[in-house]
Amino acid sequence: MASLEILSYPDERLRQKSLEVEHFDQTLWDFIADLEDTLGVGPGAVGIAAPQVGHFQRICIVDVSGRKKTKNHGHLVLINPEITEWDGFKLGREGCLSVPDYTGNVVRAEKITLEAFDPEGNELNFEMSGYEARAVQHELDHLDGLLFLDRVVSRRNDIFDRKVYKPKPKK
Amino acid sequence: MANWYMLTLVGQDQQGIVAQITQTLFENGYDLGEASMMRLGGNFTVMLMISHPENKNGDDAIAIIKDKMGLCVHSVEVSGGLHQHVEPNVRVTVLGTDRAGIVAEVTGVLAEQGVNIVDLESDVGGTAQAPIYIMHIEGVATNSTDDLVDKLAPLNRDGIEIQVMDIETLVG
Ligand SMILES: [Zn+2]
């Protein structure tokens, strides 16, 4: 196991479209172990996709379970993932391991239906929303050679989702 | 690497002003860093980080277009540089009727609560008779958002609404 080098934009390889995984074998599992190590090294990242380390197969890891008060499906290793349904829109701020020192606001679907395979080749099916759905959409973009930079709507002045804090009633 | 200068230009807004300024700087050997351009009260305003291999401050280049474009110019050497972004984790929105001192009141609370403001923008909309005041602040808070909400709550009066939101940057 080893952590791998993360490609940084404008490396053209980040624009490459990744291919489907065909064999669920030791080679795949070894690569996933390395990808896990690489994600572990990054500061506070909730996901990573294979092309970010120059491996052009449709593999990504998403794990938002470390975030407070967030619906999630735990630690997910997704092979050949595909979003089959989208619903709603939500603005949120994103950054990327492959784009250091820059963040921006991106619109993503609020809810998605996700189909994928696990590393053993079993079918997975998820209904996801919010932060986890955002993370999955960010990673799936990498598999198609897209970056959040392609979707930044603005860096400021946006109407964020109204998750507004109300002052607590006085005791 | 030469030092950075912060070049501030203010003038009457006019077609092509950004292009003229940046082209002139470029032709005179300047590198541009981060920049922020805004129209404030109908005026063109821009702050540009510039650097020059001979450590020039931009005056030579701007002198060429200054009079023609009616620009006020100020340039000062700054100690910062690029790649020093900090990620804001809280966003405060102030909406309502314009009230004297509101900016000072809100930012005063933020300072007291240890919030480091990284971006502040305020605007006045509505009409001359019924102006609407809008301010967005983004900052780095170390205390909990709940504390901040409690401390800002007393300012929620006389037609002013203050909203506090977490900003969580997703990195993937
Ligand atoms: Zn990314």
Side-chain angles (χ1 to χ4, degrees), chain A residues 46 93 95 101 157 162 165, chain B residues 83 121 138 163 166 170-171:
Chain A
V46 294
R93 194 154 300 172
D101 201 37
N157 242 347
R162 299 277 114 178
Y165 287 82
Chain B
H83 315 295
E121 199 179 353
E138 289 191 357
Q163 300 174 341
D166 284 323
L170 182 151
V171 178

Side-chain angles (χ1 to χ4, degrees), chain A residues 166-171, chain B residues 146-156:
Chain A
K166 292 270 182 283
K168 283 190 224 92
K170 288 277 167 281
K171 284 143 212 158
Chain B
D146 291 332
D147 285 352
L148 193 56
V149 172
D150 285 345
K151 294 291 189 313
L152 287 169
L155 305 182
N156 267 300

